[in-house]
Amino acid sequence: MSFFQNTCKPKGIGGKIMVNMMNSGHSSMAEWGFTHIEIAENNICLDIGCGGGANVKKLLEKSPHGKVTGIDYSEISVEKSQKINKAEISNKRCKILQGNVMELPFGNETFDVITAFETIYFWPDISGAFKQIYRVLKNTGTFMICNESNGENPKEEKWTKMIQGMKIYNSEQVKKSLEDAGFTDIKIHKNKKGWLCVVCKKIKM
């Protein structure tokens, strides 16, 4: 397995190095993403594909009277996330679970805010995944996707050849799949670095 395959599902020593790199390397993008959503101090939040747990930690800071769950299908990522959020796990404000976005182990309408940073590339079926997210998100809840690649730069396709199972989506593809899952009020944000942030709502009449 190539080292970069660890971006998909970190394993072994290479995986441990990768999750550390993710925590530092993606921090600027994550901060940019967070500027596009509002998080209340008592929100119940979920970070899907939580990787090294840095964004779980940020969500805990932004919702000091709320709770945050992180989920990832990599054992290495779960271990790292649990380590850096150990204090809030002890305080019963945080849980880190190993699981799959295609079968989220949560009840209907559990979360106020759901985030997905640098992870939808690796989901086998984003339409099916978005339906799962719609199910576990509360009515009027917010879902945010944040990617370093917006699908508009042909040079980035080299990563899909290097990393098995990776697919880069453009904003229109993401928007269509979100609409098909039932999401509304979809807002698309891009910047000069080629980053993409998509924020949407679940609003049932």
Side-chain angles (χ1 to χ4, degrees):
M1 183 177 79
S2 75
F3 174 69
F4 289 105
Q5 193 65 36
N6 283 294
T7 58
C8 177
K9 188 175 184 180
K11 293 179 181 178
I13 297 298
K16 290 181 179 180
I17 294 169
M18 181 60 74
V19 293
N20 286 329
M21 288 173 62
M22 287 175 177
N23 276 355
S24 57
H26 296 159
S27 60
S28 296
M29 180 206 65
E31 286 297 339
W32 174 73
F34 278 125
T35 64
H36 299 297
I37 60 172
E38 293 182 8
I39 300 172
E41 62 179 18
N42 62 345
N43 275 171
I44 307 300
C45 305
L46 171 66
D47 185 39
I48 300 174
C50 62
N55 292 320
V56 169
K57 190 169 186 178
K58 287 172 184 168
L59 284 165
L60 285 162
E61 292 168 357
K62 292 174 184 297
S63 55
H65 302 298
K67 294 184 178 181
V68 179
T69 299
I71 189 167
D72 201 290
Y73 77 160
S74 162
E75 186 177 345
I76 294 291
S77 295
V78 168
E79 288 175 1
K80 179 66 175 181
S81 287
Q82 288 174 336
K83 185 175 180 180
I84 78 161
N85 293 291
K86 185 178 179 181
E88 294 296 13
I89 290 172
S90 296
N91 291 336
K92 310 295 185 188
R93 282 219 308 130
C94 180
K95 290 180 182 177
I96 307 294
L97 308 175
Q98 188 168 3
N100 193 316
V101 67
M102 304 307 300
E103 298 177 4
L104 291 174
F106 311 111
N108 295 349
E109 304 200 349
T110 300
F111 301 98
D112 299 294
V113 175
I114 299 178
T115 58
F117 293 90
E118 282 290 275
T119 184
I120 69 166
Y121 314 121
F122 311 116
W123 297 355
D125 172 15
I126 62 166
S127 294
F130 289 167
K131 287 172 185 174
Q132 277 285 299
I133 291 165
Y134 186 89
R135 177 183 66 79
V136 303
L137 187 65
K138 291 180 184 178
N139 192 26
T140 73
T142 300
F143 173 40
M144 179 178 74
I145 297 160
C146 201
N147 291 344
E148 280 190 341
S149 300
N150 63 18
E152 296 175 8
N153 184 352
K155 292 180 180 179
E156 292 178 339
E157 289 301 322
K158 68 179 181 181
W159 295 110
T160 64
K161 294 181 176 69
M162 198 180 301
I163 302 166
Q164 185 179 358
M166 182 180 185
K167 182 175 180 180
I168 299 174
Y169 300 92
N170 63 38
S171 58
E172 287 305 309
Q173 290 170 318
V174 174
K175 184 174 185 284
K176 175 69 166 57
S177 292
L178 288 169
E179 287 173 340
D180 289 347
F183 287 100
T184 57
D185 193 22
I186 299 169
K187 293 183 171 64
I188 296 167
H189 308 276
K190 301 175 187 178
N191 68 6
K192 292 179 181 178
K193 295 181 179 180
W195 296 347
L196 172 67
C197 179
V198 182
V199 179
C200 57
K201 289 280 192 180
K202 172 181 176 177
I203 301 175
K204 295 195 301 184
M205 302 305 290

